[in-house]
Amino acid sequence: MLASIIFILITAGAFYFAGKKFMKIRRNILLGKEEVLIQDSSQRIKNTFLIAFGQKKMFKRFIPAIFHFFIYAAFLLTQIELIEIFIDGIFGQHRFFYNYLGGFYTFIISIIEILSVLAFVATLIFLIRRNLLKIPRFHKPEMNGWPKLDGNIILYLEILLLIFVFTMNGTDEVLHQRGLSHAHGAQGIGSFNFAISDFMGPFLFGGIESETTLHLLERVGWWGHILVVFAFLNYLPISKHLHIILAFPNTYWAKLSSRGQMANMPEIMNEVKSMMDPNAAFDDTAMSEEIPEFGAKDIFDLSWRDILGAYTCTECGRCTSVCPANITGKKLSPRKIMMDIRDRVEEVGLNLDTGKIEFISPTKKEEGATLSSSNYEDGKNLFDYIQKEELHACTTCNACVEACPVMINPLEPILKLRRYEILTESAGPSDWVPMFTSIENTGSVWAIPDARDKWTELLKED
Amino acid sequence: MAQLAAEGKAAEVLFWVGCAGSFDARAQKVTVAFCKILNEAKVDFAILGTEESCTGDPARRAGNEFVFQMTALQNVEVLNMYGVKKIVTACPHCFNTIKNEYPDLGGNYEVIHHTQFIQDLIADGRLKIQEGGVFEGKKITYHDSCYLGRVNGVYEAPRSILESLDNDLVELKRSRANGLCCGAGGAQMFKEDEPGDKRINTERVEEAINSGASIIAANCPFCITMLSDGVKSFDKQEEVMVFDLAELIVNNNKL
């Protein structure tokens, strides 16, 4: 009874605190701009099914993909076991489904056990890959500090979880073999016949004579398991591991139009059109008093999908490892761009939470105004995180877009930031100026005095 | 095009030459080679001549939407005035911009890259590839340009042209969707590199040289510039040549 009350309280607390953090992330994502998207839900569902659920793009690199799949499959199937844990925890039962499902229960738990062993192996391999093997994408500058620790914490939690699961099943097996298991429906001397703990249980715990110790260990396994799950749930919102949830919406909402299509800017198109149209020359309705800002300077100017992508990023670095600029030693790292967007939006989010009026923009400071995303100003922006040199190095080759297993598009924010620099700040690499001027004045990227069709003379020569 | 319009005629296809194809000495050779192929296959084509302007790709990708819109809207106006329906171009950047970005500006055309066009000519029997040509059995490697390959998914047409030349195609380690950029895209062509360890074209050419091929086939004027520069940086210009696919056909058929 007491155990049930404690369980219910802990569960409620875990969900409450995690829920609160998840709502903050939702709020932060929606700090981005709204965007008109292609409405094609059947294509979007298909993508989500193949790429997020089916991990299609993961398998571009087979070795990490297969180990990742073990952990992924174990995680998905363990959710079934969690249902039982909740029932047992709330109603003070022990293996509630065992009595009702019989052989099918053994089957399900056996599959979970096999996958758990595979996940255990995979986790060890991932720890080795991250810490011992010199895989370059795990050792880029943006991975120093917290990102590196974060990657390892998740793997440690994973190992802890698996130790608890096998302690729980293993001790219960030993107890059952001695006719002492409390499991619902496990009367008398017998065996659960779970694929792994059937032999691993007696091997590890068979030497323990004391029934009390075994029961205690079984409970430690059970509570340990669920507590790690709750810790994990609350750890997700501050971790790169959030991808296990956001990979799905991010894939669903991913760009459907051609990769080669940069978002059009109708406000500029219409202004240029009116410049070209002699009849519209005196129509000044399109001109506004305020000097407009183009492109993106801060997270508020990005699309909500860019921010969703930033929160989805699990920092695997596949994008960076194929980026031609990064490969050749330039500062640009597409992963860092996404991490910077996340760090910046987190900073803004925390400041908004304080509600301090010092974060209200001086120009919008009215009597009694409260802090909101529409009047926010902290004197910083994305350019405090991302250097222009990084943006200038991008060749727009789309390798990062192709590489991302969860359909994050680092190219879109890069180009929006470039647009800000060129259009709003009138800055940018000075080498580009002659190209711009030449296109404007001569219609060619190079200022060459020859006529554009002069090459036809070469054809006649032959 | 203006001439044909005055005569009340229309061409089968408009050949969009592009800035590189019009002005760059190296790319002009590709332009001429492609024209020879079109003539050989008796394709009725036209050019815009002096009425053509930059598609605006480098300006847009550099971030200069104003310059892009100015040149692009002007092009759309010209193309629509002539009622152009089908466009072929030897530049993947022009190809991408006209195909994917002009529709938002009111320009809707069927756009084909010259490698696709040549492949169609071969498939339709309009262009015969001479057998036992100079490339038979030669080791050729192919560089996928970003804007034809990864961005627009055209991988097969260029390879099928190479196949028809009966050469020994050696694929690069990074090919198709995983192809490595030559370093020119996103308006990099028009500026100095950002500080780094090496140039992107050097990285790519290293890979191509290691493939053992004596010819690097490409499909983009900017790739050709970058790759040729890269080959020169290794002082291998005698052993490794960079050619556009159209040039390979012209050499093979001695057009």
Side-chain angles (χ1 to χ4, degrees), chain A residues 119-153:
Chain A
F120 191 81
V121 173
T123 309
L124 289 178
I125 289 175
F126 281 170
L127 275 170
I128 293 169
R129 277 172 64 86
R130 257 176 200 277
N131 298 292
L132 298 179
L133 302 184
K134 290 277 165 256
I135 294 170
R137 63 184 161 112
F138 296 135
H139 299 279
K140 297 279 171 185
E142 67 266 24
M143 295 307 288
N144 290 339
W146 168 247
K148 185 177 159 73
L149 180 64
D150 186 20
N152 283 327
I153 288 176

Side-chain angles (χ1 to χ4, degrees), chain B residues 127-142:
Chain B
L127 181 70
K128 297 260 185 298
I129 302 296
Q130 276 176 26
E131 284 181 32
V134 282
F135 301 115
E136 203 184 85
K138 262 207 167 157
K139 265 195 175 178
I140 300 186
T141 191
Y142 173 68

Side-chain angles (χ1 to χ4, degrees), chain A residues 157-363:
Chain A
L157 280 176
E158 184 79 36
I159 286 186
L160 203 58
L161 186 73
L162 293 167
I163 289 172
F164 283 132
V165 169
F166 282 111
T167 305
M168 174 176 87
N169 287 355
T171 47
D172 219 8
E173 175 64 28
V174 174
L175 285 165
H176 197 5
Q177 288 182 6
R178 295 181 193 172
L180 300 168
S181 173
H182 292 167
H184 196 54
Q187 274 85 25
I189 292 173
S191 166
F192 290 106
N193 288 317
F194 299 147
I196 306 292
S197 51
D198 191 27
F199 64 87
M200 203 159 88
F203 176 74
L204 290 175
F205 306 106
I208 299 171
E209 297 294 326
S210 154
E211 184 194 340
T212 325
T213 312
L214 283 171
H215 275 301
L216 190 71
L217 276 174
E218 195 279 332
R219 283 296 89 188
V220 167
W222 190 90
W223 278 99
H225 179 177
I226 193 67
L227 288 176
V228 171
V229 169
F230 288 152
F232 200 65
L233 184 68
N234 279 274
Y235 182 66
L236 277 185
I238 58 159
S239 158
K240 68 161 194 127
H241 217 55
L242 197 51
H243 80 287
I244 64 168
I245 295 168
L246 295 188
F248 294 88
N250 196 64
T251 305
Y252 182 84
W253 294 113
K255 181 175 175 171
L256 290 184
S257 56
S258 166
R259 277 180 190 166
Q261 188 187 359
M262 264 179 80
N264 195 29
M265 299 180 75
E267 63 274 37
I268 293 183
M269 179 177 75
N270 293 332
E271 194 165 333
V272 173
K273 271 186 179 166
S274 69
M275 276 158 50
M276 286 166 68
D277 179 4
N279 301 322
F282 300 102
D283 179 13
D284 57 4
T285 49
M287 307 283 176
S288 81
E289 295 291 309
E290 226 175 301
I291 300 164
E293 287 207 347
F294 298 113
K297 163 176 82 169
D298 208 350
I299 49 126
F300 302 103
D301 311 314
L302 295 174
S303 157
W304 65 272
R305 289 189 312 131
D306 297 322
I307 302 175
L308 173 63
Y311 273 114
T312 305
C313 178
T314 193
E315 299 162 12
C316 73
R318 289 180 180 216
C319 52
T320 294
S321 73
V322 295
C323 171
N326 193 278
I327 288 171
T328 55
K330 277 89 178 172
K331 268 205 183 126
L332 175 63
S333 162
R335 168 175 57 189
K336 177 181 174 290
I337 302 285
M338 300 318 293
M339 290 167 74
D340 287 341
I341 293 171
R342 177 175 173 154
D343 289 348
R344 172 61 185 157
V345 80
E346 281 283 300
E347 179 184 37
V348 171
L350 287 174
N351 287 342
L352 281 172
D353 289 342
T354 66
K356 285 182 184 162
I357 49 165
E358 64 183 81
F359 292 121
I360 298 181
S361 161
T363 55

Side-chain angles (χ1 to χ4, degrees), chain B residues 50-114:
Chain B
T50 54
E51 288 178 285
E52 183 189 285
S53 288
C54 170
T55 58
D57 159 85
R60 183 172 236 195
R61 275 157 187 77
N64 200 329
E65 188 73 2
F66 267 106
V67 170
F68 167 76
Q69 293 287 350
M70 274 191 265
T71 183
L73 285 167
Q74 194 184 325
N75 282 327
V76 169
E77 199 172 272
V78 172
L79 289 167
N80 288 351
M81 177 180 77
Y82 289 124
V84 171
K85 298 208 165 47
K86 192 171 174 181
I87 300 173
V88 64
T89 174
C91 172
H93 294 269
C94 297
F95 167 75
N96 176 70
T97 299
I98 302 174
K99 182 176 189 274
N100 295 317
E101 299 190 327
Y102 280 15
D104 273 347
L105 279 61
N108 294 285
Y109 323 99
E110 185 193 346
V111 191
I112 312 159
H113 186 253
H114 76 309

Side-chain angles (χ1 to χ4, degrees), chain B:
Chain B
M1 200 77 205
Q3 205 180 327
L4 284 175
E7 294 165 16
K9 290 187 211 158
E12 181 186 332
V13 64
L14 174 83
F15 172 28
W16 185 276
V17 187
C19 297
S22 301
F23 297 113
D24 177 81
R26 179 67 189 86
Q28 280 176 342
K29 291 185 183 161
V30 178
T31 307
V32 170
F34 184 53
C35 285
K36 284 180 180 170
I37 291 170
L38 292 174
N39 287 333
E40 174 75 8
K42 303 196 170 50
V43 177
D44 177 24
F45 72 100
I47 57 165
L48 282 179
T50 54
E51 288 178 285
E52 183 189 285
S53 288
C54 170
T55 58
D57 159 85
R60 183 172 236 195
R61 275 157 187 77
N64 200 329
E65 188 73 2
F66 267 106
V67 170
F68 167 76
Q69 293 287 350
M70 274 191 265
T71 183
L73 285 167
Q74 194 184 325
N75 282 327
V76 169
E77 199 172 272
V78 172
L79 289 167
N80 288 351
M81 177 180 77
Y82 289 124
V84 171
K85 298 208 165 47
K86 192 171 174 181
I87 300 173
V88 64
T89 174
C91 172
H93 294 269
C94 297
F95 167 75
N96 176 70
T97 299
I98 302 174
K99 182 176 189 274
N100 295 317
E101 299 190 327
Y102 280 15
D104 273 347
L105 279 61
N108 294 285
Y109 323 99
E110 185 193 346
V111 191
I112 312 159
H113 186 253
H114 76 309
T115 56
Q116 296 172 300
F117 198 83
I118 293 171
Q119 192 218 355
D120 287 346
L121 291 178
I122 297 171
D124 297 345
R126 291 174 77 179
L127 181 70
K128 297 260 185 298
I129 302 296
Q130 276 176 26
E131 284 181 32
V134 282
F135 301 115
E136 203 184 85
K138 262 207 167 157
K139 265 195 175 178
I140 300 186
T141 191
Y142 173 68
H143 165 79
D144 286 280
S145 68
C146 304
Y147 276 79
L148 188 65
R150 189 163 38 242
V151 173
N152 284 293
V154 181
Y155 304 113
E156 296 311 326
R159 285 179 171 78
S160 121
I161 294 175
L162 285 171
E163 216 169 277
S164 69
L165 292 171
D166 263 342
N167 65 83
D168 178 14
L169 174 65
V170 226
E171 287 285 0
L172 294 175
K173 222 177 114 198
R174 289 173 280 195
S175 66
R176 294 176 189 256
N178 304 322
L180 181 74
C181 178
C182 71
Q188 296 296 329
M189 182 75 191
F190 305 96
K191 64 187 260 303
E192 287 297 317
D193 288 359
E194 299 307 313
D197 305 331
K198 58 166 27 166
R199 302 201 66 201
I200 296 171
N201 56 349
T202 322
E203 167 86 14
R204 184 53 160 174
V205 165
E206 211 173 332
E207 188 179 355
I209 291 175
N210 290 339
S211 76
S214 56
I215 290 172
I216 308 173
N219 60 54
C220 167
F222 301 107
C223 294
I224 290 177
T225 303
M226 282 296 186
L227 296 172
S228 304
D229 285 355
V231 170
K232 265 180 228 151
S233 75
F234 287 102
D235 206 17
K236 291 266 183 196
Q237 58 270 37
E238 302 297 325
E239 296 110 276
V240 183
M241 313 282 243
V242 185
F243 284 117
D244 185 271
L245 286 162
E247 294 177 300
L248 295 182
I249 301 258
V250 166
N251 288 346
N252 183 79
N253 280 18
K254 302 188 185 71
L255 294 177

